[in-house]
Amino acid sequence: MNFGVQGAKSMSMPSSSASWKSGDGVSDHFPVGLRVLLVDDDPTCLMILEKMLRNCLYEVTKCNRAEIALSLLRENKNGFDIVISDVHMPDMDGFKLLEHVGLEMDLPVIMMSADDSKSVVMNGVTHGACDYLIKPVRIEALRNIWQHVVRKRKHEWKDLEQSGSIEDGDRQQKPSEDADFSSSANEGSWRNSKRRKDEEDQAEERDDSSTLKKPRVVWSVELHQQFVVAVNQLGIDKAVPKKILELMNVPGLTRENVASHLQKYRLYLRRLSGVSQHPGGLNNSFVGPPETPFGSISSLNGLDLQALAATGQLPAQSLATLEAAALGRSTTKSGISMPFMDQRNLFSFENPKLRFRDDQQPQLGNNNKQMNLLHGIPTNMEPKQLANLHQSAQSSFRGMNMQPNSNHHGNQSSSLLVQMSQPPSRPQMFNDTNSNHFSMIPSSIAQPTLPSGMGSGVLARNGIVENARGAIYNSASQASTMVDFSINQNTDLPGNGFLLANNAGGQMATVASKGLLQEEVTSEMKGSRGLAPSYDIFSELHQHKSQDWGLPNVGLTFDASQHSNMRGGLDVPPSVLVQQNNVQNRITPFGKAIFSAAEESGRGNGPNIGQQLDTLLAGNSLRVKAESLPEASCQNTLFHEQYNQEDLMSALLKQQEGVGPVTNEFGFDGYALDNLPV
Amino acid sequence: MERSQMYRQLANMRKALFDQGFLDEQFVQLEELQDDANPNFVEEIVTLFYRDSTRLIHNIEQALEKNPLDFTKLDSYMHQFKGSTTSIGAKKVTNECTQFREYCKAGNGEGCKRTFEQLKKEYALLKKKLEAYFQLARQIGPVESACRPK
C-alpha cells in the first residue's frame, strides 16, 4: 500500500489542521488551537475579537452573517469547538442562531452584546447560551472560553455514560473521564466524547494542578511499576492516592498526580474486566494470539511492543515503558488512549482473555485483579475496549474501546503475526515489567485481556492482532487523553476506522468509526488481522518511541496522534492530551494520525506527530484502514530499527488495505476533537 | 533629539485623549493587541470603525427625519453603533449613544435629535484627534512610541 506515501504525506502536513496543536513545545497545549467560530455583523468588533482570540492562540474563523456561520458549521461538522455570536444581527437573530447550533451541532455558544440589560442576558440563558459577554469584550474574558468546551464535553460524557453501557462500578472521581473510557460514550458523537475526553483530560489535568502550566508528571515505566506495586500492596479497592503516594515514596510526586493516574488505572482495569464480559463475536475470530496483550500494554509502541514482546525481542522494560507511557500519557486520558489498543487486545484475546479472566478473576468483578495482573495499566480501558471492540462490531462501541483497540491494531496484527509464534513470550514480558500482572496471565490469554485494560493504548496495541479492530480504536486512545475521547466515540464507529485512527483520531474515530468500525471490525476480524495490529503497532511504536526517546512531544505525538488527530474537530482533540497533544480535536483518520505520530515519534519528531495525526485524522476520520496502511509504513520506519516489524507490518498493512478507505472526514484539530462524520 | 521629542509629544497626545475622556480603557486593549505582526493594528481598527460607522450614522440620520419617529428602529441602530464605539474605546461618543437610547426609550424625539447632533460632533472631533495621533505615530516609526497610559 502506499503507506509510505500516505505516511509521508500525513507527516509532512502541517498541523494547521490540528485544532489543538500547540504552538510551542509546551506540555499543556490546551486550549491552544481551540477552534472558534466568530459571528458578528459589526466589522470593527469582528476584527478586534478575531485579533484577541488569535492572541489567545485560538484558531478563529470569522463571519459577519449568521447564515454563513450556520453553513460553515454544517459543512464542517466537527470543525469548531465553540461559537461566539453577537445577539443583534441583521439577517438572523443571535438567539435563533444559538438555537440552531444547539440543536444541530451541540456546540457551546457564547453570546455577546453591548446590551447588558437583564432581559437580554436572561434570553441568552434560556436559549441555552453557555455564556454571555458584554461588549466591549476584553481579551481576558476570551481567554477562558475553553472552559465551556470542556464543560460541555464533560456533560456529554456523563450523558453518554448514563445511557451507555458503562459500568458504574468504580466510577472514578472524574466520571467524565470514566465515561470516556468506558466507551459507553460511543453513543454520542465520537467527537463529543473525544473532545470531552480530551478536554476533560486536560481539564482534569488542570484540576490537579492549580495553574494551567503545571508540569506534567511523566509516568515512566519504573514509576508506573512502583505505582502498581503500591496499589497491589494496598489492594485495588483500598488503594487511595495518599497511601499510594506514601508507599511509592517518590519525591516530587504529588497526591494529585497519583490520584489522576489511579483513576486512569482503574479505568483500565475496568476495561479489562469489561472486556471479559463481552465476549463478543469478534473475539472468536481473533482468538488466538495471546501475545497481543503485551502489545496493548505497551501502548507506546503498540505494535512493536507486543510483537516484540511476543517475539521476546521487546524487552520487558519496553513494555513497561509503553505501559507507563501509555498510562502516563494518558494521564489525562489514560483510560481512553489505550482503548485502541485495548480493544484490539480485547478482541483478539477475547477468548483467551475471557478465559483468563475467568481463571483469574471474575470478569467484571475482578477487574481489579486483572488489572493488577496487567499491571495496572489503567489507562486503556482495555477490558472495555476489547469488549467494545466486540461491541463495536456489534455496533456498540464504547467510546473508548474503539480507540484503544486501534492501537492494538497495529499491535494486533503484528502481534498476531509475531505472537502467534510466541504467545508465551508475552506473558513473560509482562511479568517482568509488571510483576504482578503478568504472572497471572496465562500465556497468551492473559495478554489480551490485559492489554485492553491497559488502555494506554500501548498495551492494547501489541497484543491483539486479532482484535485489530480493537487495536485500532485503542491505539488512538493511547496517545493522548484526547484520544481517549475520541476513542469512545470512535468505538462506535466501525472498527476499521478506529483501529487505525485510534491513536490519533481517537476522537475522530469514534464518530466516524461508528459506522466504519463496525464494518471494519468485521472485516478486520475476518482477515485483516494482520492489518489491525499494524495500526496498533504503529501507534504503539509511536507511543513507545516517544517515550523511549523522550521525545518532547511524546505526549503530544502520542496523544496528538491519537487524540489530536482524532479530535480534530474537536477536539477534540484534544486537548489536554496526556502530554501535550492537542489532539483534541481533530479526529483525522486515526490510522494516519497514528501513523504519522508513530512515524514522527520514530523520527523523534514528537511534535510533528501530533500534527500528522491531525492530518491523518482529518483526512480519514474513520477510514482507519486506509490509514493503517500508512501507519504500517510508518511503523516500518520506526520499528524497523527496533523491531523488525517491517515485514510484519507491511503484511499487516496489506491486509488492511482492504479495510476502508481513509477519508479525511475529520477535520478536527486536536483540540477540536474533530468531528468525524460518522 | 527630534525623535525623542516626537515621542514625548505622542505620549502627551495620548495622555490628553485619555484624560479628557475621549478614550477609555478599551483603547488600551486595542493597543495591547498591537504587535510586530500587526504594527498598525489600532490605526486599522479606528479606520475601519470610521468607515463602517458612516453607514450607521447615515441610517440614523434618515430615520430621524421620518415622521413619526420609529424609536424601535432608532434604538436598534444606535445599539449597533454603540457596539462599535465601545469596542474602540470612544468614551465620549459612547456616552452620547447611551443618552440617545435613553431618549428613544422615553420616546423623546427632540431629545434624540439633540443628542444625535452632539454625538456627531464628538464623533468628528475624536476622528480628528486620532488622525493626528496616528500620523505622528507613523512618523516616529514602528517603534513602541506610546507609553502605557495613566
Side-chain angles (χ1 to χ4, degrees):
Chain A
M1 297 267 310
N2 306 326
F3 291 121
V5 177
Q6 287 180 331
K9 279 188 188 167
S10 50
M11 310 255 294
S12 56
M13 281 177 67
S15 56
S16 55
S17 57
S19 53
W20 298 108
K21 60 173 187 249
S22 53
D24 51 5
V26 182
S27 57
D28 244 5
H29 298 295
F30 180 82
V32 172
L34 192 76
R35 298 167 305 173
V36 183
L37 177 62
L38 181 61
V39 191
D40 195 335
D41 64 310
D42 184 332
T44 311
C45 292
L46 205 60
M47 195 163 157
I48 295 172
L49 288 165
E50 187 197 11
K51 186 74 175 77
M52 283 180 173
L53 289 165
R54 289 253 156 88
N55 276 21
C56 292
L57 301 179
Y58 295 153
E59 256 185 44
V60 187
T61 305
K62 64 180 196 282
C63 54
N64 59 1
R65 293 179 73 82
E67 287 143 10
I68 298 176
L70 270 178
S71 64
L72 276 174
L73 287 165
R74 284 174 185 144
E75 278 166 28
N76 202 357
K77 285 272 165 185
N78 291 323
F80 301 99
D81 299 311
I82 191 165
V83 179
I84 301 181
S85 170
D86 187 43
V87 168
H88 296 275
M89 288 190 289
D91 62 334
M92 190 194 292
D93 184 41
F95 294 121
K96 240 206 174 42
L97 173 67
L98 166 61
E99 273 175 22
H100 279 298
V101 173
L103 284 170
E104 296 177 35
M105 294 105 204
D106 195 30
L107 285 176
V109 182
I110 294 177
M111 301 305 295
M112 297 187 289
S113 180
D115 197 341
D116 59 352
S117 64
K118 200 166 128 196
S119 58
V120 183
V121 178
M122 179 58 96
N123 227 352
V125 171
T126 52
H127 279 83
C130 61
D131 203 354
Y132 192 99
L133 304 176
I134 307 291
K135 288 183 180 177
V137 179
R138 295 175 64 86
I139 193 170
E140 291 80 27
L142 294 175
R143 276 199 212 281
N144 289 333
I145 60 172
W146 58 265
Q147 63 174 293
H148 302 294
V149 183
V150 175
R151 192 177 293 119
K152 204 171 182 79
R153 291 198 189 159
K154 219 175 177 90
H155 290 165
E156 285 173 355
W157 267 109
K158 280 192 183 140
D159 291 344
L160 284 175
E161 247 190 343
Q162 279 148 22
S163 57
S165 52
I166 298 178
E167 284 108 34
D168 302 25
D170 51 332
R171 183 140 322 180
Q172 303 294 342
Q173 308 123 2
K174 298 183 177 176
S176 56
E177 194 174 351
D178 288 351
D180 291 348
F181 287 112
S182 36
S183 69
S184 56
N186 288 332
E187 288 90 293
S189 63
W190 58 266
R191 166 170 56 96
N192 289 337
S193 41
K194 203 162 61 161
R195 284 213 210 150
R196 260 183 297 152
K197 197 60 201 148
D198 293 347
E199 297 203 323
E200 282 173 344
D201 289 323
Q202 291 182 344
E204 285 167 343
E205 291 294 312
R206 291 248 167 78
D207 294 337
D208 290 340
S209 55
S210 48
T211 63
L212 285 181
K213 306 242 168 127
K214 190 193 231 181
R216 253 174 212 276
V217 168
V218 175
W219 282 87
S220 66
V221 176
E222 297 81 19
L223 199 61
H224 177 65
Q225 282 179 339
Q226 275 182 279
F227 170 82
V228 173
V229 162
V231 168
N232 291 335
Q233 250 184 279
L234 295 164
I236 188 72
D237 295 325
K238 295 208 176 96
V240 284
K242 187 151 183 272
K243 292 200 182 136
I244 297 172
L245 187 66
E246 284 165 14
L247 276 177
M248 284 176 74
N249 194 21
V250 171
L253 195 67
T254 69
R255 192 207 69 84
E256 290 167 343
N257 297 139
V258 174
S260 74
H261 194 70
L262 178 65
Q263 229 186 356
K264 295 195 168 86
Y265 185 68
R266 285 217 178 100
L267 283 174
Y268 165 74
L269 293 178
R270 272 214 310 182
R271 289 228 182 99
L272 288 180
S273 60
V275 173
S276 59
Q277 289 189 344
H278 301 275
L282 293 179
N283 293 327
N284 298 327
S285 53
F286 287 122
V287 178
E291 282 123 23
T292 48
F294 284 110
S296 55
I297 297 186
S298 53
S299 55
L300 293 181
N301 293 319
L303 292 178
D304 289 343
L305 291 181
Q306 293 202 345
L308 290 182
T311 56
Q313 293 172 19
L314 192 62
Q317 191 63 2
S318 45
L319 273 183
T321 308
L322 287 176
E323 278 188 305
L327 284 177
R329 292 285 165 104
S330 39
T331 6
T332 51
K333 301 194 148 330
S334 49
I336 305 186
S337 54
M338 301 290 279
F340 189 82
M341 300 218 336
D342 297 333
Q343 294 212 342
R344 293 243 281 176
N345 293 329
L346 291 175
F347 284 122
S348 58
F349 291 91
E350 215 177 53
N351 295 330
K353 270 201 318 199
L354 294 178
R355 278 180 282 163
F356 177 67
R357 270 215 257 221
D358 293 341
D359 298 340
Q360 312 278 346
Q361 16 178 282
Q363 307 192 338
L364 291 179
N366 298 332
N367 289 338
N368 294 335
K369 292 189 192 167
Q370 286 196 339
M371 298 297 187
N372 290 334
L373 292 180
L374 288 185
H375 2 221
I377 300 209
T379 50
N380 299 323
M381 337 199 258
E382 299 208 350
K384 284 225 176 197
Q385 294 180 345
L386 284 183
N388 289 332
L389 283 182
H390 298 297
Q391 298 298 344
S392 56
Q394 302 156 5
S395 78
S396 58
F397 281 113
R398 312 247 201 124
M400 301 296 298
N401 297 333
M402 297 298 282
Q403 310 241 331
N405 289 329
S406 50
N407 292 332
H408 297 295
H409 198 57
N411 299 325
Q412 298 201 342
S413 49
S414 57
S415 58
L416 189 55
L417 296 181
V418 176
Q419 297 174 346
M420 301 277 238
S421 52
Q422 324 170 328
S425 52
R426 293 271 206 106
Q428 305 256 327
M429 299 204 25
F430 280 124
N431 289 326
D432 296 341
T433 53
N434 306 311
S435 52
N436 49 35
H437 299 305
F438 294 114
S439 51
M440 307 267 298
I441 305 174
S443 58
S444 53
I445 300 184
Q447 296 296 329
T449 50
L450 293 181
S452 44
M454 308 273 218
S456 314
V458 171
L459 299 180
R461 306 248 219 141
N462 300 325
I464 311 192
V465 170
E466 298 179 324
N467 296 330
R469 290 204 290 186
I472 296 183
Y473 299 123
N474 296 330
S475 50
S477 54
Q478 297 175 358
S480 50
T481 48
M482 305 236 337
V483 174
D484 289 334
F485 239 153
S486 48
I487 298 184
N488 290 323
Q489 303 194 348
N490 293 327
T491 49
D492 290 332
L493 295 173
N496 299 330
F498 292 124
L499 292 179
L500 296 177
N502 284 337
N503 289 325
Q507 302 174 350
M508 303 218 328
T510 46
V511 173
S513 53
K514 282 201 183 173
L516 293 179
L517 285 177
Q518 299 192 346
E519 297 168 359
E520 297 189 347
V521 175
T522 39
S523 56
E524 291 191 349
M525 304 246 317
K526 287 172 193 173
S528 50
R529 303 249 188 114
L531 293 180
S534 54
Y535 290 119
D536 288 334
I537 299 178
F538 283 122
S539 50
E540 288 183 351
L541 283 178
H542 174 63
Q543 293 168 347
H544 178 66
K545 288 221 171 204
S546 43
Q547 268 225 335
D548 293 347
W549 300 340
L551 292 175
N553 299 319
V554 173
L556 263 187
T557 49
F558 194 84
D559 294 339
S561 51
Q562 307 199 341
H563 301 297
S564 53
N565 294 328
M566 309 234 281
R567 292 251 189 141
L570 339 242
D571 291 103
V572 212
S575 89
V576 180
L577 303 182
V578 178
Q579 307 267 334
Q580 338 145 18
N581 295 320
N582 289 322
V583 216
Q584 275 211 341
N585 317 308
R586 304 269 182 152
I587 309 199
T588 48
F590 294 111
K592 284 193 182 172
I594 304 179
F595 259 109
S596 47
E599 289 189 354
E600 289 294 24
S601 54
R603 300 187 190 168
N605 295 326
N608 292 334
I609 298 191
Q611 297 194 352
Q612 296 197 348
L613 287 178
D614 288 346
T615 329
L616 288 178
L617 289 176
N620 314 312
S621 45
L622 301 179
R623 310 320 182 107
V624 178
K625 306 244 180 114
E627 308 199 310
S628 55
L629 292 180
E631 288 183 346
S633 56
C634 296
Q635 294 214 346
N636 289 329
T637 326
L638 293 173
F639 304 128
H640 68 268
E641 315 166 359
Q642 307 175 349
Y643 312 115
N644 287 334
Q645 299 278 329
E646 286 187 31
D647 296 339
L648 188 59
M649 293 301 298
S650 23
L652 292 176
L653 288 176
K654 284 180 189 164
Q655 294 178 12
Q656 297 256 334
E657 291 189 347
V659 184
V662 183
T663 56
N664 301 319
E665 299 181 352
F666 301 107
F668 179 70
D669 70 311
Y671 278 109
L673 290 190
D674 302 332
N675 303 315
L676 292 179
V678 180
Chain B
M1 206 164 60
E2 203 184 270
R3 204 138 198 253
S4 66
Q5 262 185 330
M6 287 164 80
Y7 272 118
R8 253 203 314 278
Q9 193 184 352
L10 192 74
N12 288 340
M13 275 176 84
R14 185 176 176 281
K15 190 166 185 301
L17 284 168
F18 281 98
D19 291 345
Q20 290 164 19
F22 286 99
L23 298 175
D24 62 22
E25 178 58 26
Q26 190 60 21
F27 191 80
V28 179
Q29 287 268 313
L30 298 189
E31 286 177 323
E32 283 171 359
L33 288 175
Q34 194 158 290
D35 51 26
D36 292 340
N38 302 76
N40 301 312
F41 182 72
V42 188
E43 189 181 353
E44 285 166 16
I45 290 287
V46 172
T47 307
L48 179 60
F49 164 74
Y50 275 103
R51 191 166 61 223
D52 182 63
S53 53
T54 309
R55 174 183 53 90
L56 272 171
I57 298 271
H58 183 67
N59 289 346
I60 297 172
E61 255 176 344
Q62 278 195 322
L64 279 174
E65 279 161 22
K66 288 209 166 52
N67 208 352
L69 290 175
D70 182 350
F71 288 109
T72 309
K73 201 172 199 169
L74 282 169
D75 188 64
S76 169
Y77 284 141
M78 190 49 75
H79 173 79
Q80 283 181 54
F81 185 67
K82 188 182 171 190
S84 292
T85 60
T86 57
S87 294
I88 67 161
K91 196 169 175 185
K92 285 194 177 182
V93 183
T94 302
N95 289 343
E96 298 299 330
C97 292
T98 309
Q99 185 65 59
F100 185 94
R101 292 192 77 196
E102 292 296 318
Y103 281 127
C104 278
K105 289 200 187 82
N108 186 339
E110 279 310 306
C112 285
K113 286 177 184 168
R114 250 195 342 263
T115 305
F116 190 62
E117 291 304 314
Q118 187 64 26
L119 184 151
K120 280 195 287 189
K121 279 204 191 107
E122 293 292 346
Y123 176 79
L125 181 58
L126 178 65
K127 186 173 183 187
K128 261 198 348 231
K129 284 187 178 281
L130 285 175
E131 272 173 359
Y133 176 76
F134 289 128
Q135 194 171 18
L136 182 61
R138 262 186 272 119
Q139 275 182 353
I140 290 173
V143 191
E144 277 273 296
S145 48
C147 45
R148 280 298 145 210
K150 312 162 187 177

Short mmCIF file of all heavy atoms in Angstrom, two decimals, chain A residues 296-322:
data_model
loop_
_atom_site.label_atom_id
_atom_site.label_comp_id
_atom_site.label_asym_id
_atom_site.label_seq_id
_atom_site.Cartn_x
_atom_site.Cartn_y
_atom_site.Cartn_z
N SER A 296 -0.70 -4.48 23.87
CA SER A 296 -1.51 -3.40 24.38
C SER A 296 -0.84 -2.72 25.54
O SER A 296 -0.93 -1.55 25.73
CB SER A 296 -2.85 -3.95 24.82
OG SER A 296 -2.60 -4.99 25.74
N ILE A 297 -0.22 -3.47 26.22
CA ILE A 297 0.36 -2.87 27.40
C ILE A 297 1.31 -1.79 27.00
O ILE A 297 1.37 -0.74 27.58
CB ILE A 297 1.12 -3.92 28.21
CG1 ILE A 297 0.14 -4.96 28.69
CG2 ILE A 297 1.83 -3.23 29.34
CD1 ILE A 297 0.73 -5.94 29.59
N SER A 298 2.00 -2.15 26.08
CA SER A 298 2.97 -1.15 25.71
C SER A 298 2.38 -0.27 24.65
O SER A 298 2.88 -0.17 23.57
CB SER A 298 4.20 -1.83 25.17
OG SER A 298 3.77 -2.72 24.14
N SER A 299 1.40 0.29 25.00
CA SER A 299 0.75 1.14 24.02
C SER A 299 1.78 1.96 23.31
O SER A 299 1.63 2.37 22.19
CB SER A 299 -0.24 2.05 24.70
OG SER A 299 0.44 2.76 25.69
N LEU A 300 2.76 2.19 23.99
CA LEU A 300 3.76 3.03 23.40
C LEU A 300 4.06 2.60 22.00
O LEU A 300 3.97 3.31 21.04
CB LEU A 300 5.04 2.95 24.19
CG LEU A 300 4.85 3.57 25.55
CD1 LEU A 300 6.12 3.50 26.31
CD2 LEU A 300 4.40 5.00 25.37
N ASN A 301 4.47 1.46 21.95
CA ASN A 301 4.81 1.04 20.61
C ASN A 301 3.86 -0.01 20.20
O ASN A 301 4.22 -0.97 19.57
CB ASN A 301 6.18 0.44 20.60
CG ASN A 301 7.15 1.53 20.89
OD1 ASN A 301 6.98 2.60 20.39
ND2 ASN A 301 8.09 1.27 21.71
N GLY A 302 2.79 0.18 20.58
CA GLY A 302 1.75 -0.79 20.29
C GLY A 302 2.24 -1.98 19.56
O GLY A 302 2.50 -3.03 20.11
N LEU A 303 2.40 -1.78 18.39
CA LEU A 303 2.74 -2.94 17.60
C LEU A 303 4.04 -3.54 18.03
O LEU A 303 4.14 -4.70 18.30
CB LEU A 303 2.86 -2.52 16.15
CG LEU A 303 1.52 -2.14 15.58
CD1 LEU A 303 1.69 -1.69 14.17
CD2 LEU A 303 0.60 -3.32 15.66
N ASP A 304 4.92 -2.73 18.02
CA ASP A 304 6.22 -3.27 18.30
C ASP A 304 6.29 -3.93 19.63
O ASP A 304 6.80 -5.02 19.77
CB ASP A 304 7.25 -2.14 18.29
CG ASP A 304 7.41 -1.70 16.88
OD1 ASP A 304 6.99 -2.47 16.00
OD2 ASP A 304 7.92 -0.62 16.66
N LEU A 305 5.78 -3.28 20.52
CA LEU A 305 5.91 -3.83 21.84
C LEU A 305 5.39 -5.23 21.88
O LEU A 305 6.03 -6.14 22.32
CB LEU A 305 5.15 -2.97 22.83
CG LEU A 305 5.81 -1.62 23.00
CD1 LEU A 305 5.04 -0.82 23.99
CD2 LEU A 305 7.22 -1.85 23.47
N GLN A 306 4.24 -5.28 21.39
CA GLN A 306 3.65 -6.58 21.51
C GLN A 306 4.38 -7.57 20.67
O GLN A 306 4.70 -8.66 21.09
CB GLN A 306 2.20 -6.51 21.07
CG GLN A 306 1.43 -5.67 22.04
CD GLN A 306 -0.01 -6.01 21.96
OE1 GLN A 306 -0.41 -6.64 21.01
NE2 GLN A 306 -0.76 -5.61 22.97
N ALA A 307 4.56 -7.13 19.54
CA ALA A 307 5.23 -8.04 18.66
C ALA A 307 6.56 -8.42 19.27
O ALA A 307 6.94 -9.57 19.32
CB ALA A 307 5.44 -7.38 17.31
N LEU A 308 7.17 -7.45 19.68
CA LEU A 308 8.47 -7.72 20.26
C LEU A 308 8.34 -8.61 21.45
O LEU A 308 9.07 -9.56 21.64
CB LEU A 308 9.12 -6.41 20.68
CG LEU A 308 9.53 -5.59 19.48
CD1 LEU A 308 10.20 -4.33 19.95
CD2 LEU A 308 10.46 -6.40 18.62
N ALA A 309 7.43 -8.19 22.21
CA ALA A 309 7.25 -8.97 23.42
C ALA A 309 7.03 -10.40 23.03
O ALA A 309 7.61 -11.32 23.59
CB ALA A 309 6.06 -8.44 24.19
N ALA A 310 6.18 -10.48 22.10
CA ALA A 310 5.87 -11.83 21.70
C ALA A 310 7.12 -12.54 21.24
O ALA A 310 7.39 -13.67 21.59
CB ALA A 310 4.86 -11.81 20.57
N THR A 311 7.79 -11.83 20.50
CA THR A 311 8.98 -12.49 19.98
C THR A 311 10.10 -12.46 20.99
O THR A 311 11.18 -12.93 20.75
CB THR A 311 9.46 -11.78 18.72
OG1 THR A 311 9.68 -10.41 19.08
CG2 THR A 311 8.40 -11.84 17.66
N GLY A 312 9.79 -11.87 22.02
CA GLY A 312 10.83 -11.83 23.02
C GLY A 312 11.85 -10.77 22.73
O GLY A 312 12.82 -10.59 23.43
N GLN A 313 11.59 -10.10 21.68
CA GLN A 313 12.55 -9.08 21.35
C GLN A 313 12.34 -7.86 22.21
O GLN A 313 13.23 -7.16 22.58
CB GLN A 313 12.42 -8.68 19.89
CG GLN A 313 12.81 -9.79 18.98
CD GLN A 313 12.48 -9.41 17.57
OE1 GLN A 313 12.30 -8.24 17.27
NE2 GLN A 313 12.38 -10.39 16.71
N LEU A 314 11.13 -7.68 22.40
CA LEU A 314 10.82 -6.48 23.14
C LEU A 314 11.15 -6.72 24.59
O LEU A 314 10.62 -7.60 25.20
CB LEU A 314 9.34 -6.17 22.99
CG LEU A 314 8.96 -4.80 23.48
CD1 LEU A 314 9.69 -3.77 22.66
CD2 LEU A 314 7.49 -4.61 23.36
N PRO A 315 11.93 -5.95 25.05
CA PRO A 315 12.30 -6.17 26.44
C PRO A 315 11.12 -5.86 27.33
O PRO A 315 10.31 -5.03 27.02
CB PRO A 315 13.42 -5.17 26.66
CG PRO A 315 13.20 -4.14 25.62
CD PRO A 315 12.59 -4.82 24.45
N ALA A 316 11.14 -6.52 28.37
CA ALA A 316 10.05 -6.28 29.31
C ALA A 316 10.01 -4.81 29.64
O ALA A 316 8.98 -4.21 29.82
CB ALA A 316 10.28 -7.11 30.57
N GLN A 317 11.13 -4.32 29.66
CA GLN A 317 11.21 -2.92 30.02
C GLN A 317 10.44 -2.05 29.07
O GLN A 317 9.74 -1.16 29.45
CB GLN A 317 12.67 -2.49 30.03
CG GLN A 317 12.88 -1.12 30.64
CD GLN A 317 12.48 -1.11 32.08
OE1 GLN A 317 12.10 -2.12 32.62
NE2 GLN A 317 12.56 0.02 32.72
N SER A 318 10.64 -2.37 27.86
CA SER A 318 9.96 -1.51 26.90
C SER A 318 8.47 -1.64 27.08
O SER A 318 7.73 -0.70 26.98
CB SER A 318 10.36 -1.85 25.48
OG SER A 318 10.36 -3.24 25.32
N LEU A 319 8.08 -2.80 27.34
CA LEU A 319 6.66 -2.96 27.53
C LEU A 319 6.22 -2.12 28.69
O LEU A 319 5.23 -1.43 28.66
CB LEU A 319 6.32 -4.42 27.81
CG LEU A 319 6.12 -5.25 26.56
CD1 LEU A 319 5.73 -6.65 26.91
CD2 LEU A 319 5.06 -4.61 25.70
N ALA A 320 6.99 -2.26 29.69
CA ALA A 320 6.64 -1.50 30.88
C ALA A 320 6.66 -0.04 30.51
O ALA A 320 5.82 0.73 30.93
CB ALA A 320 7.64 -1.81 31.98
N THR A 321 7.64 0.27 29.74
CA THR A 321 7.73 1.65 29.34
C THR A 321 6.50 2.08 28.59
O THR A 321 5.94 3.12 28.82
CB THR A 321 8.93 1.86 28.41
OG1 THR A 321 10.07 1.32 29.02
CG2 THR A 321 9.11 3.33 28.12
N LEU A 322 6.15 1.19 27.75
CA LEU A 322 4.98 1.51 26.97
C LEU A 322 3.81 1.70 27.89
O LEU A 322 3.02 2.60 27.74
CB LEU A 322 4.69 0.39 25.99
CG LEU A 322 5.68 0.36 24.85
CD1 LEU A 322 5.40 -0.82 23.96
CD2 LEU A 322 5.57 1.64 24.06
#
